[in-house]
Amino acid sequence: MSFIKITTRHPGGREVVGITQQANVTASEAFDRRITRARVARQPHDADRSSLTIQLHPTEIVDYSQLLEYAETIEAFDGYQPELPQEFLDLMEGQ
């Protein structure tokens, strides 16, 4: 099992961060698979094997960039705590 932290940066400056779990695959294997997919799709990217990070650049079809960080444990992301969507916070205040 491994984890991917995905940071999506939208053109207006909005940034969304999430973490996903990958079952039955190591961080290195997941990294290699994503690099292969980026190369086959000819998606512009920069990759750093030493830190297991991939920066996916915007294209004519996709106007946002993504930073993909791969790790064996969720603790590798320094206790990342996702932000709750504003809609959820508004609902909680209304109760």
Side-chain angles (χ1 to χ4, degrees):
M1 178 178 3
S2 61
F3 297 85
I4 306 171
K5 180 179 175 185
I6 304 167
T7 304
T8 303
R9 295 183 181 104
H10 296 273
R14 187 171 70 103
E15 188 172 282
V16 179
V17 180
I19 295 178
T20 184
Q21 181 179 342
Q22 302 288 291
N24 303 316
V25 64
T26 67
S28 183
E29 291 168 337
F31 174 87
D32 289 340
R33 290 176 185 179
R34 186 61 183 96
I35 287 296
T36 299
R37 287 196 344 252
R39 287 180 180 148
V40 168
R42 297 182 185 214
Q43 183 173 19
H45 65 278
D46 296 309
D48 182 355
R49 173 164 277 300
S50 65
S51 63
L52 294 178
T53 59
I54 303 170
Q55 177 69 50
L56 300 173
H57 302 291
T59 66
E60 291 179 10
I61 298 169
V62 178
D63 65 351
Y64 56 83
S65 66
Q66 286 187 315
L67 175 63
L68 309 176
E69 301 171 79
Y70 294 80
E72 297 300 331
T73 66
I74 199 164
E75 290 80 16
F77 300 126
D78 298 325
Y80 166 73
Q81 179 65 38
E83 291 183 35
L84 296 173
Q86 187 60 47
E87 298 82 19
F88 178 79
L89 296 174
D90 292 344
L91 285 173
M92 294 305 292
E93 281 184 14
Q95 289 186 348

Short mmCIF file of all heavy atoms in Angstrom, two decimals, residues 18-63:
data_model
loop_
_atom_site.label_atom_id
_atom_site.label_comp_id
_atom_site.label_asym_id
_atom_site.label_seq_id
_atom_site.Cartn_x
_atom_site.Cartn_y
_atom_site.Cartn_z
N GLY A 18 -5.38 16.86 -1.97
CA GLY A 18 -6.01 15.64 -1.48
C GLY A 18 -5.00 14.52 -1.44
O GLY A 18 -3.94 14.59 -2.06
N ILE A 19 -5.32 13.49 -0.68
CA ILE A 19 -4.46 12.31 -0.59
C ILE A 19 -5.30 11.10 -0.95
O ILE A 19 -6.44 10.96 -0.52
CB ILE A 19 -3.87 12.15 0.82
CG1 ILE A 19 -2.94 13.31 1.13
CG2 ILE A 19 -3.12 10.81 0.94
CD1 ILE A 19 -2.35 13.28 2.53
N THR A 20 -4.72 10.23 -1.77
CA THR A 20 -5.39 9.00 -2.15
C THR A 20 -4.50 7.81 -1.79
O THR A 20 -3.28 7.91 -1.81
CB THR A 20 -5.75 9.00 -3.65
OG1 THR A 20 -6.48 7.82 -3.96
CG2 THR A 20 -4.53 9.05 -4.53
N GLN A 21 -5.13 6.72 -1.46
CA GLN A 21 -4.43 5.49 -1.09
C GLN A 21 -4.37 4.56 -2.28
O GLN A 21 -5.34 4.43 -3.02
CB GLN A 21 -5.18 4.82 0.05
CG GLN A 21 -4.57 3.56 0.55
CD GLN A 21 -5.38 2.97 1.71
OE1 GLN A 21 -6.18 3.65 2.33
NE2 GLN A 21 -5.15 1.71 1.99
N GLN A 22 -3.23 3.93 -2.47
CA GLN A 22 -3.03 2.98 -3.56
C GLN A 22 -2.84 1.59 -2.96
O GLN A 22 -1.84 1.35 -2.26
CB GLN A 22 -1.78 3.35 -4.38
CG GLN A 22 -1.82 4.74 -4.97
CD GLN A 22 -2.80 4.83 -6.10
OE1 GLN A 22 -2.57 4.25 -7.15
NE2 GLN A 22 -3.89 5.52 -5.89
N ALA A 23 -3.77 0.69 -3.20
CA ALA A 23 -3.67 -0.67 -2.64
C ALA A 23 -2.76 -1.54 -3.51
O ALA A 23 -2.72 -1.39 -4.73
CB ALA A 23 -5.05 -1.29 -2.56
N ASN A 24 -2.04 -2.40 -2.88
CA ASN A 24 -1.23 -3.43 -3.55
C ASN A 24 -0.17 -2.89 -4.50
O ASN A 24 0.19 -3.54 -5.48
CB ASN A 24 -2.14 -4.40 -4.32
CG ASN A 24 -3.15 -5.05 -3.42
OD1 ASN A 24 -2.82 -5.48 -2.31
ND2 ASN A 24 -4.38 -5.10 -3.87
N VAL A 25 0.34 -1.68 -4.23
CA VAL A 25 1.40 -1.12 -5.06
C VAL A 25 2.29 -0.23 -4.18
O VAL A 25 1.80 0.47 -3.31
CB VAL A 25 0.82 -0.33 -6.27
CG1 VAL A 25 0.04 0.87 -5.82
CG2 VAL A 25 1.90 0.05 -7.25
N THR A 26 3.59 -0.31 -4.39
CA THR A 26 4.50 0.55 -3.64
C THR A 26 4.50 1.95 -4.25
O THR A 26 4.04 2.15 -5.38
CB THR A 26 5.94 0.00 -3.68
OG1 THR A 26 6.44 0.10 -5.01
CG2 THR A 26 6.02 -1.44 -3.19
N ALA A 27 5.01 2.90 -3.51
CA ALA A 27 5.10 4.27 -4.01
C ALA A 27 5.95 4.32 -5.28
O ALA A 27 5.60 5.01 -6.24
CB ALA A 27 5.66 5.19 -2.94
N SER A 28 7.03 3.60 -5.29
CA SER A 28 7.92 3.58 -6.46
C SER A 28 7.22 2.99 -7.69
O SER A 28 7.35 3.52 -8.80
CB SER A 28 9.19 2.78 -6.14
OG SER A 28 10.07 2.80 -7.22
N GLU A 29 6.47 1.92 -7.48
CA GLU A 29 5.73 1.31 -8.60
C GLU A 29 4.65 2.26 -9.13
O GLU A 29 4.48 2.41 -10.34
CB GLU A 29 5.08 0.00 -8.15
CG GLU A 29 6.07 -1.12 -7.88
CD GLU A 29 5.42 -2.30 -7.16
OE1 GLU A 29 4.39 -2.13 -6.49
OE2 GLU A 29 5.99 -3.40 -7.28
N ALA A 30 3.92 2.90 -8.22
CA ALA A 30 2.88 3.84 -8.63
C ALA A 30 3.49 5.02 -9.38
O ALA A 30 2.95 5.48 -10.39
CB ALA A 30 2.09 4.33 -7.41
N PHE A 31 4.62 5.51 -8.91
CA PHE A 31 5.36 6.59 -9.57
C PHE A 31 5.73 6.17 -11.00
O PHE A 31 5.47 6.90 -11.96
CB PHE A 31 6.61 6.92 -8.75
CG PHE A 31 7.54 7.90 -9.40
CD1 PHE A 31 7.35 9.27 -9.21
CD2 PHE A 31 8.61 7.49 -10.16
CE1 PHE A 31 8.22 10.19 -9.79
CE2 PHE A 31 9.48 8.39 -10.74
CZ PHE A 31 9.28 9.75 -10.55
N ASP A 32 6.32 4.98 -11.13
CA ASP A 32 6.73 4.49 -12.46
C ASP A 32 5.54 4.36 -13.40
O ASP A 32 5.64 4.73 -14.59
CB ASP A 32 7.43 3.13 -12.34
CG ASP A 32 8.81 3.24 -11.71
OD1 ASP A 32 9.39 4.35 -11.71
OD2 ASP A 32 9.30 2.21 -11.20
N ARG A 33 4.44 3.86 -12.91
CA ARG A 33 3.24 3.70 -13.75
C ARG A 33 2.72 5.05 -14.24
O ARG A 33 2.32 5.21 -15.38
CB ARG A 33 2.14 2.96 -12.99
CG ARG A 33 2.47 1.51 -12.75
CD ARG A 33 1.42 0.84 -11.90
NE ARG A 33 1.80 -0.52 -11.58
CZ ARG A 33 1.08 -1.33 -10.83
NH1 ARG A 33 -0.06 -0.92 -10.31
NH2 ARG A 33 1.50 -2.55 -10.59
N ARG A 34 2.74 6.06 -13.34
CA ARG A 34 2.22 7.38 -13.73
C ARG A 34 3.15 8.06 -14.74
O ARG A 34 2.70 8.73 -15.66
CB ARG A 34 2.04 8.27 -12.49
CG ARG A 34 1.37 9.59 -12.80
CD ARG A 34 -0.03 9.32 -13.37
NE ARG A 34 -0.71 10.52 -13.76
CZ ARG A 34 -0.75 11.01 -15.01
NH1 ARG A 34 -0.11 10.41 -15.99
NH2 ARG A 34 -1.40 12.11 -15.27
N ILE A 35 4.45 7.88 -14.57
CA ILE A 35 5.42 8.42 -15.55
C ILE A 35 5.18 7.78 -16.91
O ILE A 35 5.17 8.47 -17.94
CB ILE A 35 6.86 8.17 -15.08
CG1 ILE A 35 7.20 9.09 -13.92
CG2 ILE A 35 7.86 8.38 -16.21
CD1 ILE A 35 7.18 10.56 -14.25
N THR A 36 4.96 6.48 -16.94
CA THR A 36 4.68 5.79 -18.20
C THR A 36 3.43 6.34 -18.86
O THR A 36 3.42 6.63 -20.06
CB THR A 36 4.54 4.27 -17.97
OG1 THR A 36 5.78 3.78 -17.42
CG2 THR A 36 4.22 3.54 -19.25
N ARG A 37 2.36 6.54 -18.08
CA ARG A 37 1.12 7.09 -18.64
C ARG A 37 1.33 8.51 -19.18
O ARG A 37 0.80 8.86 -20.23
CB ARG A 37 0.01 7.09 -17.59
CG ARG A 37 -0.51 5.70 -17.32
CD ARG A 37 -1.85 5.63 -16.59
NE ARG A 37 -2.33 6.79 -15.91
CZ ARG A 37 -2.38 6.95 -14.59
NH1 ARG A 37 -1.94 5.99 -13.80
NH2 ARG A 37 -2.87 8.02 -14.05
N ALA A 38 2.10 9.32 -18.47
CA ALA A 38 2.37 10.69 -18.93
C ALA A 38 3.16 10.67 -20.24
O ALA A 38 2.88 11.46 -21.15
CB ALA A 38 3.12 11.48 -17.86
N ARG A 39 4.10 9.77 -20.35
CA ARG A 39 4.90 9.69 -21.59
C ARG A 39 4.05 9.21 -22.76
O ARG A 39 4.14 9.76 -23.86
CB ARG A 39 6.09 8.76 -21.38
CG ARG A 39 7.15 9.36 -20.51
CD ARG A 39 8.32 8.44 -20.31
NE ARG A 39 9.32 9.06 -19.45
CZ ARG A 39 10.09 8.41 -18.61
NH1 ARG A 39 10.02 7.10 -18.53
NH2 ARG A 39 10.95 9.06 -17.86
N VAL A 40 3.24 8.19 -22.54
CA VAL A 40 2.38 7.66 -23.61
C VAL A 40 1.39 8.73 -24.07
O VAL A 40 1.16 8.90 -25.27
CB VAL A 40 1.64 6.38 -23.14
CG1 VAL A 40 0.54 6.00 -24.10
CG2 VAL A 40 2.62 5.23 -22.96
N ALA A 41 0.84 9.49 -23.14
CA ALA A 41 -0.13 10.53 -23.47
C ALA A 41 0.55 11.82 -23.95
O ALA A 41 -0.12 12.76 -24.33
CB ALA A 41 -1.00 10.84 -22.25
N ARG A 42 1.87 11.82 -23.90
CA ARG A 42 2.66 13.01 -24.28
C ARG A 42 2.25 14.23 -23.46
O ARG A 42 2.16 15.34 -23.97
CB ARG A 42 2.57 13.27 -25.77
CG ARG A 42 3.17 12.14 -26.56
CD ARG A 42 3.13 12.41 -28.02
NE ARG A 42 3.62 11.22 -28.71
CZ ARG A 42 4.31 11.24 -29.81
NH1 ARG A 42 4.59 12.38 -30.38
NH2 ARG A 42 4.72 10.13 -30.36
N GLN A 43 1.98 13.97 -22.20
CA GLN A 43 1.61 15.04 -21.28
C GLN A 43 2.89 15.69 -20.75
O GLN A 43 3.77 15.00 -20.25
CB GLN A 43 0.80 14.47 -20.12
CG GLN A 43 0.32 15.52 -19.16
CD GLN A 43 -0.61 14.93 -18.13
OE1 GLN A 43 -0.63 13.72 -17.91
NE2 GLN A 43 -1.39 15.77 -17.49
N PRO A 44 3.01 17.02 -20.89
CA PRO A 44 4.24 17.66 -20.40
C PRO A 44 4.36 17.51 -18.89
O PRO A 44 3.38 17.73 -18.15
CB PRO A 44 4.06 19.13 -20.81
CG PRO A 44 2.64 19.30 -21.21
CD PRO A 44 2.07 17.96 -21.47
N HIS A 45 5.55 17.11 -18.45
CA HIS A 45 5.76 16.88 -17.03
C HIS A 45 7.24 16.95 -16.69
O HIS A 45 8.10 16.86 -17.56
CB HIS A 45 5.22 15.49 -16.63
CG HIS A 45 5.97 14.37 -17.27
ND1 HIS A 45 5.72 13.94 -18.55
CD2 HIS A 45 6.98 13.59 -16.80
CE1 HIS A 45 6.54 12.94 -18.85
NE2 HIS A 45 7.31 12.71 -17.80
N ASP A 46 7.51 17.13 -15.41
CA ASP A 46 8.85 17.01 -14.84
C ASP A 46 8.75 15.97 -13.74
O ASP A 46 7.77 15.96 -12.99
CB ASP A 46 9.33 18.34 -14.24
CG ASP A 46 9.46 19.42 -15.30
OD1 ASP A 46 10.11 19.17 -16.32
OD2 ASP A 46 8.90 20.52 -15.09
N ALA A 47 9.74 15.11 -13.65
CA ALA A 47 9.71 14.05 -12.64
C ALA A 47 11.03 14.01 -11.89
O ALA A 47 12.09 14.26 -12.47
CB ALA A 47 9.43 12.71 -13.30
N ASP A 48 10.95 13.69 -10.62
CA ASP A 48 12.14 13.54 -9.77
C ASP A 48 12.03 12.23 -9.02
O ASP A 48 11.27 12.11 -8.06
CB ASP A 48 12.23 14.72 -8.80
CG ASP A 48 13.47 14.65 -7.92
OD1 ASP A 48 14.22 13.65 -7.98
OD2 ASP A 48 13.69 15.61 -7.16
N ARG A 49 12.76 11.24 -9.49
CA ARG A 49 12.71 9.91 -8.88
C ARG A 49 13.21 9.93 -7.44
O ARG A 49 12.69 9.21 -6.58
CB ARG A 49 13.51 8.91 -9.70
CG ARG A 49 13.63 7.56 -9.02
CD ARG A 49 14.05 6.45 -9.94
NE ARG A 49 12.97 5.87 -10.70
CZ ARG A 49 11.91 5.27 -10.18
NH1 ARG A 49 11.74 5.23 -8.90
NH2 ARG A 49 11.00 4.73 -10.95
N SER A 50 14.19 10.76 -7.13
CA SER A 50 14.76 10.77 -5.78
C SER A 50 13.73 11.20 -4.73
O SER A 50 13.77 10.74 -3.60
CB SER A 50 16.00 11.66 -5.71
OG SER A 50 15.65 13.01 -5.94
N SER A 51 12.80 12.08 -5.10
CA SER A 51 11.77 12.51 -4.15
C SER A 51 10.39 11.94 -4.50
O SER A 51 9.41 12.25 -3.82
CB SER A 51 11.69 14.04 -4.13
OG SER A 51 11.30 14.54 -5.39
N LEU A 52 10.32 11.11 -5.55
CA LEU A 52 9.06 10.51 -6.01
C LEU A 52 7.98 11.57 -6.24
O LEU A 52 6.86 11.46 -5.76
CB LEU A 52 8.57 9.43 -5.05
CG LEU A 52 9.43 8.17 -4.93
CD1 LEU A 52 8.83 7.21 -3.90
CD2 LEU A 52 9.61 7.48 -6.27
N THR A 53 8.36 12.62 -6.97
CA THR A 53 7.40 13.67 -7.30
C THR A 53 7.30 13.85 -8.81
O THR A 53 8.27 13.69 -9.54
CB THR A 53 7.79 15.03 -6.67
OG1 THR A 53 9.07 15.41 -7.15
CG2 THR A 53 7.78 14.96 -5.16
N ILE A 54 6.10 14.19 -9.25
CA ILE A 54 5.83 14.47 -10.66
C ILE A 54 5.05 15.77 -10.74
O ILE A 54 4.05 15.94 -10.04
CB ILE A 54 4.99 13.35 -11.32
CG1 ILE A 54 5.69 11.99 -11.18
CG2 ILE A 54 4.72 13.68 -12.79
CD1 ILE A 54 4.81 10.82 -11.60
N GLN A 55 5.52 16.68 -11.57
CA GLN A 55 4.80 17.93 -11.84
C GLN A 55 4.19 17.80 -13.23
O GLN A 55 4.90 17.70 -14.22
CB GLN A 55 5.76 19.12 -11.79
CG GLN A 55 5.12 20.44 -12.13
CD GLN A 55 4.16 20.92 -11.07
OE1 GLN A 55 4.49 20.94 -9.89
NE2 GLN A 55 2.97 21.31 -11.47
N LEU A 56 2.85 17.75 -13.28
CA LEU A 56 2.13 17.68 -14.56
C LEU A 56 1.76 19.11 -14.96
O LEU A 56 1.15 19.84 -14.18
CB LEU A 56 0.87 16.83 -14.43
CG LEU A 56 1.09 15.37 -14.00
CD1 LEU A 56 -0.25 14.70 -13.74
CD2 LEU A 56 1.88 14.63 -15.05
N HIS A 57 2.14 19.50 -16.16
CA HIS A 57 1.93 20.87 -16.62
C HIS A 57 0.60 20.99 -17.38
O HIS A 57 0.11 20.02 -17.96
CB HIS A 57 3.09 21.30 -17.52
CG HIS A 57 4.41 21.22 -16.83
ND1 HIS A 57 4.77 22.07 -15.81
CD2 HIS A 57 5.45 20.36 -17.00
CE1 HIS A 57 5.98 21.75 -15.39
NE2 HIS A 57 6.42 20.71 -16.09
N PRO A 58 0.04 22.21 -17.41
CA PRO A 58 -1.21 22.44 -18.16
C PRO A 58 -1.02 22.14 -19.65
O PRO A 58 0.10 22.20 -20.17
CB PRO A 58 -1.49 23.93 -17.95
CG PRO A 58 -0.68 24.34 -16.78
CD PRO A 58 0.51 23.43 -16.75
N THR A 59 -2.12 21.82 -20.30
CA THR A 59 -2.11 21.57 -21.75
C THR A 59 -3.23 22.40 -22.38
O THR A 59 -3.92 23.13 -21.69
CB THR A 59 -2.36 20.08 -22.05
OG1 THR A 59 -3.69 19.74 -21.64
CG2 THR A 59 -1.35 19.18 -21.35
N GLU A 60 -3.42 22.23 -23.67
CA GLU A 60 -4.52 22.92 -24.34
C GLU A 60 -5.87 22.40 -23.85
O GLU A 60 -6.87 23.10 -23.88
CB GLU A 60 -4.42 22.73 -25.86
CG GLU A 60 -3.26 23.47 -26.47
CD GLU A 60 -3.17 23.25 -27.98
OE1 GLU A 60 -4.11 22.70 -28.57
OE2 GLU A 60 -2.15 23.65 -28.54
N ILE A 61 -5.91 21.17 -23.38
CA ILE A 61 -7.15 20.54 -22.93
C ILE A 61 -7.36 20.75 -21.43
O ILE A 61 -8.46 21.01 -20.97
CB ILE A 61 -7.15 19.03 -23.26
CG1 ILE A 61 -7.07 18.87 -24.78
CG2 ILE A 61 -8.36 18.33 -22.69
CD1 ILE A 61 -6.81 17.46 -25.24
N VAL A 62 -6.31 20.62 -20.65
CA VAL A 62 -6.38 20.74 -19.19
C VAL A 62 -5.65 22.02 -18.78
O VAL A 62 -4.45 22.13 -19.00
CB VAL A 62 -5.73 19.51 -18.52
CG1 VAL A 62 -5.74 19.65 -17.02
CG2 VAL A 62 -6.40 18.24 -18.96
N ASP A 63 -6.38 22.98 -18.18
CA ASP A 63 -5.78 24.28 -17.89
C ASP A 63 -5.18 24.39 -16.49
O ASP A 63 -4.80 25.47 -16.06
CB ASP A 63 -6.80 25.39 -18.10
CG ASP A 63 -7.97 25.33 -17.13
OD1 ASP A 63 -8.09 24.33 -16.40
OD2 ASP A 63 -8.77 26.29 -17.11
#
